[in-house]
Amino acid sequence: RKEVEQDPGPFNVPEGATVAFNCTYSNSASQSFFWYRQDCRKEPKLLMSVYSSGNEDGRFTAQLNRASQYISLLIRDSKLSDSATYLCVVGTGTASKLTFGTGTRLQVTL
Amino acid sequence: GAGVSQSPSNKVTEKGKDVELRCDPISGHTALYWYRQSLGQGLEFLIYFQGNSAPDKSGLPSDRFSAERTGGSVSTLTIQRTQQEDSAVYLCASSLSGVYGYTFGSGTRLTVV
């Protein structure tokens, strides 16, 4: 079983739609959680951290369910510029390496 | 510098040659990581440096791969006797701590011909 699993997609949605991605992780000792965004042929960039109580940043909402070991990302009012691959990322320990999922591809269309 | 700097941005080399990839992390970041990403694939962890601790080399795919970090700052990833399967984008990242996430450099695209 992969340490971090994501549906690869692609998710094709029209502008203005709401879309949600889920991710599961296998290590119950994981302590830090993130969503990264990666544009084609670019490096991954931190989108947002994920906190236990859930957190929101503009149109983006992230949630963590420790009991079920999954993380979600909700994007409201999708924009064309949201088209990218979204990487679910999990860390174990205070200063250790992060494990990246293989990503979910989102394509927002007119 | 303001971000993580990697050089060269592109490297084409002949099979069997050695290559060196350089990473200059964000000033003050104690943690430095190397990952690679093959075309259409996810990020594969290679090696991790944290301060003066021994590096975590658990992701290095073979003994042809090595890395060092001098003075707790700049890091060099060396691939000896390159093979075609080494072709990938090699990404370096730095962090104050894994709990804050990483900042990636723009990568070195390595092509072995």
Side-chain angles (χ1 to χ4, degrees), chain B residues 10 13 19 30 42 49-50 65 67-68 79 81 88 94 105-106 111:
Chain B
N10 281 284
T13 190
V19 295
T30 56
F49 296 89
Q50 173 61 49
F65 288 73
E68 63 177 21
I79 309 172
R81 305 181 302 282
S94 72
S106 55
T111 304

Side-chain angles (χ1 to χ4, degrees), chain B residues 8-49:
Chain B
S9 54
N10 281 284
K11 176 73 177 178
V12 179
T13 190
E14 291 181 353
K15 179 180 170 182
K17 300 282 190 185
D18 297 352
V19 295
E20 282 190 354
L21 312 180
R22 177 189 166 103
C23 173
D24 199 343
I26 291 173
S27 179
H29 279 191
T30 56
L32 186 149
Y33 311 80
W34 284 98
Y35 284 77
R36 75 176 175 182
Q37 188 171 33
S38 301
L39 189 63
Q41 302 298 309
L43 273 74
E44 177 188 1
F45 167 76
L46 297 177
I47 188 168
Y48 154 56
F49 296 89

Side-chain angles (χ1 to χ4, degrees), chain A residues 72-90:
Chain A
S72 65
L73 177 68
L74 182 79
I75 305 175
R76 291 182 300 279
D77 189 23
S78 299
K79 311 289 184 193
L80 291 174
S81 57
D82 294 334
S83 298
T85 296
Y86 290 83
L87 306 174
C88 175
V89 184
V90 174

Side-chain angles (χ1 to χ4, degrees), chain B residues 7 20 43 47 49 58 60 67 69-70 72 76-77 83 92-93 97 101-102:
Chain B
S7 61
E20 282 190 354
L43 273 74
I47 188 168
F49 296 89
S58 60
L60 294 178
R69 188 178 185 191
T70 53
T76 303
L77 177 69
Q83 304 294 313
C92 175
S97 163
Y102 304 164

Side-chain angles (χ1 to χ4, degrees), chain A residues 80-106:
Chain A
L80 291 174
S81 57
D82 294 334
S83 298
T85 296
Y86 290 83
L87 306 174
C88 175
V89 184
V90 174
T92 304
T94 56
S96 63
K97 67 182 186 285
L98 300 179
T99 301
F100 288 74
T102 51
T104 298
R105 186 152 183 275
L106 172 66

